[in-house]
Every structure is written in structure tokens, then in C-alpha cells.
Amino acid sequence: MQFSTFKAELFDEHQHDKMDEFCAEFGLDGMEVFMDDVLSRDQDLNDEKLVILDKLRTLHVKRVHCSYWAYPTSFLTKNNFQELVERFGGWEDVVNYYGDLTGDHMYKRWADEYQIATELKAQAYTFHLIDYAPIDGKWEFTISKEDIRQAMIYMIQQFLNYLINQNLINEDSPIIEVENAGWGLEHGLQTAEDYKLMYCQLYDPLQKVKIGWDINHLLHALGFDETQNCARFFLPDSEISTQMFELQQRYGNEPQVFAQKWLEHNIMDPELVDRVGCIQLSDCALKTIEFFRNGKLVGQYYDEIVALDSWVEQEDYGVNIVLTCYDSHIPLGDGILSPKAIKEMILKIRAVNSDLVILHELKNNTDQAAALIRQLDRLSLK
């Protein structure tokens, strides 16, 4: 099964009523939609549920991507809560953003989204939990990566508990795919080791929780060091494990091979390969500048962002760096990856995991058809 991402601004309005034709043309089984794009996360989905369901059916939606909020660790676990309030400017601003001080609004919204996915008979609900700053690059992480990872596992369990308690999950409801965070920029569950820790702790009686590997997010960790003329991890030393260092030492002089080995280290982990629900396919060029360190912009880039007059300007500045150098989501072969190697990896996974699906995650390309054609042609998956 193959899917693609729907973003309203990337399709002409007259195409919105013809997404079934778009899917048929490209051999897709449906579209994935971001729920916050459908209705702002501060509004109640049940107020317009029938209208929303009708709209999503028209868009041929078969995968639903959750809404997400910044700083969920601080908010839901109250770890360093004082800092959270200070960053927002006061507890009233925290309430306005999250809907309350308890997290009830957040879990209800996720449950309502999951219920909509169930009524659509969707293939999956993408649960993307990330700890990030609303203004990318202005704030650094002050909670440890280990604490954030544990908080993410807690959130997944709480979500499952909520669904079980409300009788919203059963054998026929969609799987829940936990998407990996963007390494080095957004902390969360990022590596095979993180997911193994999750599965060791999770109570999931219906075995609904799968992994959604976003290839672009894994590539966030990599860069090309022009001074040393080699590829390496653009991360603090504390975030580079022994296995990662060995990969860097062995393959750093072959950037494309290094990138592929990094993907395989995670995606092909023998303990997890049968738990992979989806591969989110896209590419990314290796950046030559480490713009972020521990979530915060460095050097002149930090000086430039804080010198801007308004919050909107600061956000635009940080997000522009993210979308061009980290989360570019360009077609395979336009960045560092070899489409042939990626196809071989997919086939190896399918040999042991016949339920694997592909999401063509090309959401930042203005011409979706052209981007999809390039990716499908290079993979010979059309």
C-alpha cells in the first residue's frame, strides 16, 4: 500500500474534489492529512464532525496525522514547569495554548482524531510526539534527552489508556504509528534503541502501536564537514553513541553510504523490523552548517533571530532554516540518498513484514504531482 500527504496549499482548489482521481493516477491507496490543518487544535472536532468526515472522504483520506503541541514534556509531566510558564509569558498563556493546565484537552483532541480515523476506516493514525520550541532555534533544551524520551513513552501509554477507558479502540480500529522525531532539532523517540525501550514498557493489549520511520527526520542528524571533507553527525558528543561513532569513522568519507548505513542501523534493526508500520519516503541534502546545537540556533544565526523585532519574524526566520536545510522532504535522489539502495531496503523489510506501507512524504514541494512522479519513477514503484 502506498499513500501521499495532502496539504491544501499544494493542490489547486478544483483538485480537492478529485483526490480519488489523483490517487488512481499514481497508484495510491489514499492520502494522509494533518488534523490541525483540518480544524485548529484549540477547537472541538465534534462540533463539525459530520462536515469533517465528509470532507476527508472527499479527499480520499486513509491516514490521519495527529495534532501536536510544543513542549509536551514540560506541560504533561510538569518537569521544569516554571521554565515553561516563563517562556510562554505567564500561566494564562499556557492555558490559552494547551486548552487547560491538566492535559485533558490534549488527550481528548487526540482521542477525537483517532475516532475520526476509525470512522474513516483509516489505515493508520500517525502519533507524532516531539519536544520542540514554537520559535525554532530561540530556546535550548534544558530537560535531558533521556527524560524527554521517557516522557514520550508515558504519553503513548496515557493515550492508549484513554482509548481503552473510553472504549474507542478495538481489533478493527486503525494502527497507531509512532513517528520518529527530527534528530538534533526536536527531541523524542528517534532511534531503534529508543523504540526498543518503548516496547519494553508499553501495555498494548491489541498490539496497535507500530513505528513510522520518517527518513527525512533521521537525516536531520547528518551533515557534511567541509573543513574535514567528510560526513559526520552534526550533534553534541553526548548524543553520539558508540555505534554511531563507529558508523561515522567507517563511512564518513563516503557520505551516501554513511547516510544509508545510518538509516539501516535504525530501520533494519532485527528486533524491530516486523514492528515497522510505515516508511515515510523523502530525501534531504546534507547540510554544511550545524545551525542548531541542543535545539538552539548557534553563533550568528542566534544573533540574527533575537535581533528581529516581532515574534512572527523570528518564527519565520527559524522555520525557513528548518524547511530548507532539515525538513526539506525532497524526492529521493534529489538529496544524499540512492533510490536503488532505498528500494532494496524496502524489499528486505517487506520480505519479513508484509504489512509495510509507504508514505510519500513530499509535503514541502509546491508541485506535488511532479515530485511524486520523480520519486515513483526512481523507485519503479508506480
Side-chain angles (χ1 to χ4, degrees):
M1 298 180 75
Q2 297 183 65
F3 303 86
S4 188
T5 304
F6 177 82
K7 285 274 189 179
E9 64 271 20
L10 300 179
F11 293 88
D12 294 333
E13 246 181 78
H14 74 275
Q15 288 181 285
H16 293 187
D17 296 330
K18 300 179 180 178
M19 293 311 297
D20 56 341
E21 296 177 14
F22 179 86
C23 291
E25 179 182 355
F26 293 104
L28 302 174
D29 294 277
M31 305 296 289
E32 175 167 317
V33 70
F34 288 76
M35 283 306 296
D36 194 41
D37 292 342
V38 176
L39 189 71
S40 175
R41 63 194 166 202
D42 60 350
Q43 298 181 51
D44 193 332
L45 286 166
N46 291 315
D47 291 343
E48 301 181 43
K49 186 174 181 180
L50 294 179
V51 174
I52 289 170
L53 283 168
D54 185 59
K55 176 182 178 181
L56 296 183
R57 290 188 180 108
T58 300
L59 294 174
H60 210 51
V61 170
K62 293 297 180 182
R63 289 175 56 93
V64 172
H65 191 292
C66 77
S67 300
Y68 49 83
W69 289 259
Y71 299 128
T73 297
S74 292
F75 177 67
L76 289 178
T77 69
K78 304 305 182 271
N79 187 337
N80 211 348
F81 191 72
Q82 179 178 338
E83 178 185 76
L84 177 75
V85 175
E86 290 171 352
R87 288 186 178 183
F88 271 83
W91 70 266
E92 298 92 345
D93 297 302
V94 172
V95 171
N96 289 337
Y97 180 71
Y98 293 103
D100 53 40
L101 285 176
T102 64
D104 289 347
H105 171 79
M106 189 182 292
Y107 282 109
K108 181 181 183 301
R109 170 70 185 219
W110 286 334
D112 289 343
E113 292 174 353
Y114 187 75
Q115 193 168 15
I116 283 175
T118 300
E119 294 190 35
L120 287 172
K121 297 185 178 357
Q123 182 266 329
Y125 179 65
T126 304
F127 205 38
H128 188 191
L129 299 175
I130 51 178
D131 221 79
Y132 78 106
I135 304 173
D136 291 292
K138 193 176 178 183
W139 307 102
E140 65 180 346
F141 289 104
T142 56
I143 299 175
S144 74
K145 187 172 181 293
E146 290 72 23
D147 282 354
I148 292 174
R149 179 178 62 183
Q150 192 59 51
M152 298 297 162
I153 297 169
Y154 161 82
M155 288 177 222
I156 296 163
Q157 186 65 71
Q158 281 291 89
F159 180 51
L160 282 172
N161 293 352
Y162 193 102
L163 293 178
I164 293 169
N165 190 54
Q166 298 293 322
N167 294 314
L168 296 176
I169 190 168
N170 55 55
E171 294 284 356
D172 298 322
S173 53
I175 64 171
I176 299 168
E177 284 179 3
V178 179
E179 179 182 337
N180 57 303
W183 190 299
L185 182 63
E186 304 156 336
H187 282 176
L189 299 178
Q190 298 168 313
T191 65
E193 289 73 23
D194 294 337
Y195 282 113
K196 283 188 241 186
L197 182 66
M198 176 189 79
Y199 281 117
C200 283
Q201 299 182 41
L202 209 59
Y203 173 68
D204 178 19
L206 297 175
Q207 297 186 330
K208 288 290 183 180
V209 177
K210 304 293 183 182
I211 302 170
W213 281 117
D214 187 321
I215 284 179
N216 198 165
H217 288 177
L218 283 170
L219 294 177
H220 284 187
L222 308 183
F224 187 81
D225 190 331
E226 292 179 316
T227 62
Q228 299 182 35
N229 195 34
C230 67
R232 65 176 178 85
F233 288 105
F234 276 15
L235 299 169
D237 289 343
S238 61
E239 292 188 29
I240 303 176
S241 68
T242 301
Q243 296 94 326
M244 291 165 67
F245 182 75
E246 289 174 354
L247 284 176
Q248 181 175 285
Q249 290 294 98
R250 186 171 180 181
Y251 301 109
N253 291 323
E254 301 175 87
Q256 189 175 75
V257 177
F258 179 40
Q260 185 68 30
K261 293 295 183 181
W262 169 234
L263 297 184
E264 292 172 1
H265 169 76
N266 293 287
I267 299 172
M268 297 296 296
D269 186 285
E271 292 183 42
L272 297 174
V273 69
D274 63 337
R275 295 179 183 265
V276 179
C278 176
I279 302 291
Q280 299 184 19
L281 286 180
S282 65
D283 206 338
C284 184
L286 286 192
K287 54 200 162 291
T288 57
I289 297 170
E290 184 179 0
F291 293 96
F292 296 89
R293 173 59 61 128
N294 196 31
K296 184 178 179 179
L297 281 167
V298 300
Q300 71 180 72
Y301 306 102
Y302 177 78
D303 294 338
E304 288 172 6
I305 197 173
V306 296
L308 295 172
D309 294 329
S310 70
W311 186 89
V312 173
E313 289 177 305
Q314 290 176 338
E315 184 179 45
D316 287 346
Y317 180 94
V319 168
N320 181 61
I321 292 176
V322 172
L323 295 183
T324 54
C325 300
Y326 288 82
D327 233 22
S328 57
H329 288 278
I330 56 180
L332 288 174
D334 284 359
I336 188 60
L337 298 175
S338 159
K340 180 176 181 291
I342 294 297
K343 181 177 180 178
E344 289 173 355
M345 182 178 71
I346 290 170
L347 293 176
K348 286 178 183 176
I349 298 171
R350 281 184 170 160
V352 296
N353 180 352
S354 60
D355 294 326
L356 177 74
V357 306
I358 301 300
L359 174 66
H360 297 281
E361 182 69 293
L362 301 167
K363 61 186 179 184
N364 295 332
N365 297 268
T366 53
D367 190 335
Q368 286 290 285
L372 199 50
I373 288 170
R374 286 203 299 279
Q375 184 149 290
L376 287 169
D377 284 349
R378 290 166 182 173
L379 287 166
S380 301
L381 289 175
K382 188 175 179 183

